[in-house]
Amino acid sequence: MEKKQKILNDPVYGFISIPYGILFDLVEHPYFQRLRNVKQVSLTHYVYPGALHTRFHHALGALHLMQQAVASLKGKGVKINKREAEAVMIAILLHDIGHGPFSHTLEKTLIDVHHEELSLLFMQRLNDEFNGRLDLAIRVFTGKYKKHFLHQLVSGQLDMDRLDYLNRDSYFTGVAEGVIGYDRIIKMLNVVNDRLVVEQKGIYSVERFLTSRRIMYWQVYLHKTVVAAEQMLRLILQRARELADTGRAPWAPPSLTYFLNHRITRDDFHQRRNDLLDCFAALDDTDISTAVKAWQQHPDPLLSYLSYGLVNRRLFRLEFANEPFDPEYVDTIRQALARSSLVPRQAAAHLIIQGKETNSAYTLTKEEIMVCTKNGDVVPMSSVSDFGITPRVFTKYFLCYPKEVS
């Protein structure tokens, strides 16, 4: 008897399956296999050593949850035909295929194009290869298909992307606060007037999900040591590009060298899609790690100083504050760096990084979570939550600089 699916053992969910056919063919494609070499949570392993899982793990996990969601909704009488089910599964499988090395960290450094836009370009390229079989998946991904709830399952406040990454990142970091009742949330989903809703009896699970998401951001994704490491990596790539701009490009793997020597814009990707996607697909974490390791010995003092610090975990200090830092305080640190014999001469201006991080567990930039009450009314989550779940953005300002400052 011919097997209908490939069975995999996932550490988070146990046995998961990939149906043979286009979904399995997409997983086997080199563009998707590249995600094995892109870490899901960038440099978070500098704080949580187990956080070495990849975008490949995450995409397969999100596909698994989408299979459960489709089955649950169909069991409640929601009409999802075979083509639509396949399309929404393709969309979630490929939703992160446009991520660059170390996920979000280098998104504005090496390539100034958002990963979702690159994901769409990859999907369009794959659609050409698969003779139009991704047409419906692309419409679902972009929210242009008539059944809007399918798009919400891919990109919404309760999408399968978020349900998987919170659960998966919690598992691999060991941060128990991120554990969510993903299975109960999925079973509590329904569709009313073509919009995804949560049945009222699932509201506490959703509140737990929103709380966990906020905690995970500050405890894991925006942990001050993680942010410091990511800022150092950005500085390293910026310095390498500065050297390249003056004709002194440091050695790097060919895939990275191309992006150091060329400032590629979103217009370039649209005009030369196939060539640039192939260049981009050749670039992953291993190229960056190899280059940074080699740059420890580079004659440029700033590049070697930063590279040595990142490779050997001599990370910058990072301070968070609720308000922007006093310029006089920043200047005091700058002067101390200029006097220090432990940092490269005349590098003080490069070694102080200011910025801000924001986190919003619940936002109105995506459609608000809607709750279907016991009497059949559909109301916003914020109006029925016992815990005062309201849209709010939390902002913290940061100051990052070498620890050599006394």
Side-chain angles (χ1 to χ4, degrees):
M1 183 176 178
E2 186 179 357
K3 293 182 179 178
K4 294 184 178 180
Q5 55 192 11
K6 180 76 172 179
I7 305 296
L8 303 177
N9 196 345
D10 180 75
V12 178
Y13 306 120
F15 291 111
I16 65 176
S17 64
I18 305 170
Y20 283 121
I22 190 168
L23 282 162
F24 184 76
D25 292 342
L26 288 168
V27 169
E28 291 285 277
H29 195 283
Y31 287 164
F32 190 83
Q33 290 291 316
R34 164 186 168 271
L35 298 181
R36 291 180 183 274
N37 294 317
V38 178
K39 290 185 183 65
Q40 169 76 6
V41 283
S42 187
L43 297 170
T44 302
H45 60 282
Y46 274 76
V47 178
Y48 301 100
L52 292 166
H53 55 302
T54 66
R55 290 279 160 185
F56 184 85
H57 296 139
H58 164 58
L60 293 181
L63 171 63
H64 172 68
L65 296 187
M66 186 65 79
Q67 291 171 324
Q68 292 191 347
V70 168
S72 178
L73 290 173
K74 289 176 71 174
K76 295 179 179 180
V78 177
K79 295 189 184 305
I80 303 173
N81 64 38
K82 189 174 180 180
R83 285 183 62 249
E84 292 165 342
E86 182 181 83
V88 76
M89 290 176 193
I90 291 172
I92 198 66
L93 180 71
L94 301 181
H95 77 282
D96 273 349
I97 201 168
H99 264 296
F102 294 99
S103 294
H104 298 279
T105 304
L106 300 180
E107 201 161 69
K108 295 293 184 182
T109 304
L110 270 182
I111 301 148
D112 193 13
V113 186
H114 194 274
H115 74 272
E116 286 189 6
E117 189 166 0
L118 290 176
S119 291
L120 179 57
L121 289 173
F122 271 117
M123 291 173 72
Q124 292 167 343
R125 170 77 183 275
L126 288 166
N127 194 35
D128 292 343
E129 287 189 34
F130 285 86
N131 301 313
R133 290 189 63 191
L134 278 70
D135 278 342
L136 187 53
I138 290 170
R139 289 167 64 196
V140 169
F141 182 77
T142 55
K144 295 178 180 177
Y145 186 57
K146 60 183 179 181
K147 294 186 179 179
H148 183 67
F149 70 88
L150 293 174
H151 173 73
Q152 290 179 295
L153 289 170
V154 176
S155 181
Q157 303 258 25
L158 283 177
D159 59 38
M160 300 306 108
D161 171 29
R162 292 184 179 187
L163 292 185
D164 180 78
Y165 79 62
L166 281 177
N167 217 39
R168 188 168 301 277
D169 297 348
S170 174
Y171 177 91
F172 281 99
T173 58
V175 177
E177 288 83 355
V179 175
I180 57 171
Y182 69 91
D183 47 353
R184 179 167 173 78
I185 291 174
I186 288 173
K187 286 181 172 59
M188 292 299 106
L189 295 178
N190 210 332
V191 174
V192 176
N193 296 328
D194 196 38
R195 291 295 191 270
L196 203 63
V197 299
V198 178
E199 294 168 5
Q200 188 168 1
K201 57 188 175 181
I203 196 168
Y204 296 117
S205 296
V206 174
E207 287 170 338
R208 168 69 188 272
F209 159 77
L210 294 173
T211 302
S212 296
R213 187 166 182 261
R214 182 184 168 200
I215 291 171
M216 284 290 285
Y217 264 85
W218 292 123
Q219 193 166 331
V220 177
Y221 310 129
L222 300 179
H223 187 289
K224 63 180 182 179
T225 306
V226 173
V227 175
E230 291 175 349
Q231 290 298 324
M232 288 181 71
L233 182 56
R234 289 190 179 105
L235 271 186
I236 290 168
L237 269 296
Q238 287 170 9
R239 182 56 179 170
R241 177 165 269 173
E242 287 172 3
L243 294 173
D245 287 344
T246 58
R248 297 177 293 154
W251 174 88
S255 52
L256 175 56
T257 297
Y258 182 83
F259 286 100
L260 289 178
N261 289 327
H262 300 85
R263 294 185 181 272
I264 305 300
T265 66
R266 64 185 302 273
D267 289 340
D268 294 326
F269 267 104
H270 285 276
Q271 291 166 9
R272 295 187 288 135
R273 187 195 71 182
N274 289 2
D275 289 344
L276 288 179
L277 286 181
D278 285 342
C279 290
F280 183 79
L283 186 65
D284 59 38
D285 290 12
T286 57
D287 300 293
I288 306 296
S289 297
T290 299
V292 174
K293 184 179 178 182
W295 292 343
Q296 294 178 91
Q297 311 301 326
H298 195 274
D300 180 72
L302 180 56
L303 184 62
S304 60
Y305 169 79
L306 291 168
S307 299
Y308 179 87
L310 186 62
V311 170
N312 297 284
R313 205 182 181 278
R314 304 296 188 265
L315 303 178
F316 283 13
R317 176 179 290 120
L318 188 133
E319 300 178 25
F320 272 127
N322 293 325
E323 301 291 337
F325 286 85
D326 186 333
E328 290 187 8
Y329 177 64
V330 177
D331 194 53
T332 300
I333 294 172
R334 185 175 288 110
Q335 292 175 24
L337 282 174
R339 293 192 302 268
S340 175
S341 61
L342 300 176
V343 299
R345 285 181 173 275
Q346 300 176 329
H350 293 270
L351 299 177
I352 297 180
I353 312 160
Q354 294 187 75
K356 64 181 180 180
E357 296 286 1
T358 59
N359 166 231
S360 177
Y362 191 49
T363 176
L364 291 183
T365 57
K366 290 182 182 283
E367 296 166 90
E368 191 167 355
I369 296 171
M370 304 303 287
V371 176
C372 184
T373 63
K374 292 176 181 177
N375 62 12
D377 294 334
V378 176
V379 296
M381 172 85 179
S382 57
S383 69
V384 295
S385 170
D386 293 339
F387 291 97
I389 298 294
T390 55
R392 181 182 172 190
V393 176
F394 297 87
T395 301
K396 287 187 180 181
Y397 297 86
F398 69 78
L399 181 65
C400 187
Y401 56 91
K403 290 180 179 176
E404 285 83 353
V405 175
S406 57

